[in-house]
Amino acid sequence: ENGSADGPASLHNSMNHAHNLQSQAKDLLKQMTIEARSVDDKNLKEECMKTVRVAKANHANLVDDVKQMQSQLDRRALLSGGGDLEQGGGNGRNSAAREHLLNTNNSLQNQNKTLENARRIMAETEDVALEITDELSRNRETIESAHSRVRGVSSLTNRA
């Protein structure tokens, strides 16, 4: 019986550890993003931002995997728990109530996934928008510099 008691506790500890590691990874991704945005060299910055995007995608996949494992563990615990409640005449009713709770939980999880994906897409869009803004700013400076040189050459040719 000790082995069965250690199993759920060990799984619980493993899931807590996974959640803690995810939190640390999320913080590191934020730091990576800040560092990548602060790079001055255009080519290096693009490479860094690509690396950050890949890391964020990998992190999102791992978060989904951990959520799926947590959901499976919760489902298993819900279906196996409450043995005392199921004794007697209420067995079918409790089972139906559990199934309803599981279905509701699954629906909420799907909605949360949709919202999380929307947030992730919004963040990625914001990153791309910032990169485009930086690029447009550099292009504007280049165009203004070229325009200034054209004016200088034009005034020289008018004098000649």
Side-chain angles (χ1 to χ4, degrees):
E1 189 167 329
N2 275 349
S4 65
D6 289 343
S10 176
L11 286 174
H12 180 71
N13 289 339
S14 295
M15 291 307 295
N16 282 339
H17 185 65
H19 288 294
N20 289 337
L21 291 174
Q22 283 179 345
S23 177
Q24 291 174 10
K26 185 176 179 180
D27 292 340
L28 291 172
L29 282 171
K30 287 179 183 177
Q31 291 175 2
M32 284 175 63
T33 302
I34 291 169
E35 290 292 326
R37 286 181 183 164
S38 67
V39 172
D40 292 330
D41 182 22
K42 177 184 170 184
N43 293 331
L44 182 58
K45 183 176 186 173
E46 288 177 15
E47 187 177 326
C48 289
M49 290 306 291
K50 282 181 187 177
T51 303
V52 168
R53 281 192 289 273
V54 169
K56 283 183 177 181
N58 289 339
H59 179 260
N61 289 337
L62 291 173
V63 167
D64 289 344
D65 290 347
V66 170
K67 284 181 182 178
Q68 185 177 8
M69 286 297 295
Q70 184 68 53
S71 176
Q72 289 174 356
L73 288 173
D74 291 345
R75 182 180 194 94
R76 195 178 308 156
L78 185 59
L79 289 175
S80 67
D84 293 341
L85 295 174
E86 290 185 0
Q87 293 177 357
N91 189 7
R93 188 171 47 213
N94 286 334
S95 179
R98 282 187 183 155
E99 193 61 36
H100 177 70
L101 285 173
L102 288 172
N103 290 336
T104 302
N105 191 32
N106 286 338
S107 175
L108 288 172
Q109 285 179 348
N110 288 336
Q111 291 173 2
N112 285 339
K113 284 180 186 178
T114 301
L115 288 171
E116 195 61 38
N117 285 336
R119 284 187 195 112
R120 185 172 45 232
I121 290 170
M122 188 172 62
E124 290 173 4
T125 303
E126 181 183 6
D127 289 344
V128 170
L130 289 173
E131 290 174 29
I132 290 171
T133 302
D134 289 343
E135 183 68 26
L136 287 172
S137 176
R138 286 191 293 272
N139 289 346
R140 180 183 183 132
E141 290 172 7
T142 303
I143 290 170
E144 287 175 349
S145 174
H147 189 63
S148 174
R149 280 188 245 130
V150 166
R151 277 194 229 133
V153 170
S154 178
S155 81
L156 289 175
T157 57
N158 286 339
R159 289 181 193 166

